[in-house]
Amino acid sequence: MRPGAAWGGGSLVRAAHTGLSWGVTLALFLHRTDLRKQEEHGELLQPLIFVLLVLCSVLLYFVVSLMDPGFIESDEEEKVGMNEEQRVMMPQFPSNVWLRRCGYCMLKQPMRAKHCQLCRHCVRRYDHHCPWIENCVGERNHPLFIVYLAVQLVVLLWSFHVAWSGLYFEQSWEWLQHNIFLLLSFLVIAIFTIVVLLLLVSHLYLVSCNTTTWEFMSHHRISYLRHCESENPFDQGVILNLWRFFCACRLVTWEKIYFQEDSDPV
């Protein structure tokens, strides 16, 4: 990803994420929570693991936010590195499947790619543009995006338990003064837990079907899906879909899977 595009519009969002993460963590340690009590008694294992998990989630956030999601910089044959034999064996598209050059980038779009007007690039296996990471989620960073969501969910669930352990409710202004930051942290944690849980479940479902958020939401407007006899021509079974998504180290030529479901990715 180009440095200017990476930091230009997303520096404030990334700073807000970092500040919120460590601000909530600090609030959990400053109040009488289980982590604070363990720290005071010299039991440092769980507090240390918790801090390391928060650090891991922040680092994953920056990696997913700043990495190349699969930007198309040149014609796809050069990008994937197909040889002459592979190009000859590539099936031709039927006339009713309309693949075109991008009207913005003027680059040849491979199947499942889409132009993101916010990033101003075409992205391979485009899923969506995530405003929280200020980056697209595409073929290169989608697996790591799901790993980030999973780690973040663990941190949030643990934080929820810790924040609850420090709350003792009294109907007095003094109680509110002493616990206002912990109470606000608890509300923030609860909201983000629900959001991250819904995101993680929905993405795991889509990945298990080998479809994307864009394809799921715009199925009727995408030519290669609208004119296909199969509802999802890329679905090769849950196990194989998950294996190829998380374990494949190379870009996939989706055109071959579209026409020949038993083909291996190139």
Side-chain angles (χ1 to χ4, degrees), residues 133-191:
I133 66 173
E134 270 300 314
N135 195 10
C136 282
V137 176
E139 190 164 8
R140 290 185 184 274
N141 68 345
H142 198 173
L144 202 57
F145 178 74
I146 292 182
V147 173
Y148 159 70
L149 290 179
V151 173
Q152 187 67 65
L153 181 61
V154 172
V155 172
L156 287 168
L157 290 174
W158 194 351
S159 301
F160 185 89
H161 171 74
V162 172
W164 181 260
S165 69
L167 290 175
Y168 54 95
F169 297 98
E170 296 179 3
Q171 293 182 352
S172 66
W173 177 250
E174 184 179 355
W175 177 89
L176 185 61
Q177 282 184 315
H178 285 89
N179 293 274
I180 183 63
F181 290 110
L182 182 62
L183 186 59
L184 290 176
S185 298
F186 179 81
L187 294 176
V188 169
I189 292 168
I191 293 172

Side-chain angles (χ1 to χ4, degrees), residues 26-138:
L26 183 61
L28 296 179
F29 277 93
L30 290 178
H31 291 81
R32 296 291 297 173
T33 62
D34 287 347
L35 288 180
R36 174 70 178 274
K37 295 173 183 176
Q38 290 171 356
E39 182 186 8
E40 290 176 347
H41 289 93
E43 301 173 2
L44 302 179
L45 180 60
Q46 289 193 29
L48 180 60
I49 293 176
F50 180 81
V51 172
L52 290 177
L53 269 178
V54 175
L55 177 62
C56 181
S57 71
V58 172
L59 291 177
L60 279 172
Y61 169 83
F62 274 91
V63 171
V64 175
S65 176
L66 297 174
M67 75 180 295
D68 179 359
F71 291 139
I72 302 170
E73 302 292 347
S74 62
D75 284 349
E76 193 58 23
E77 288 183 354
E78 298 176 4
K79 187 75 171 180
V80 179
M82 291 166 49
N83 57 38
E84 184 65 26
E85 180 182 357
Q86 291 169 334
R87 290 197 294 267
V88 172
M89 293 177 62
M90 179 65 67
Q92 297 297 315
F93 297 109
S95 57
N96 60 350
V97 177
W98 186 44
L99 299 180
R100 62 181 179 85
R101 286 189 179 273
C102 175
Y104 298 93
C105 300
M106 299 308 296
L107 296 174
K108 185 186 297 181
Q109 281 188 336
M111 190 171 282
R112 311 190 80 180
K114 184 181 181 295
H115 183 87
C116 175
Q117 296 190 29
L118 294 175
C119 291
R120 298 181 181 178
H121 281 83
C122 287
V123 181
R124 282 185 56 93
R125 196 184 179 275
Y126 176 86
D127 187 88
H128 72 289
H129 182 92
C130 180
W132 185 236
I133 66 173
E134 270 300 314
N135 195 10
C136 282
V137 176

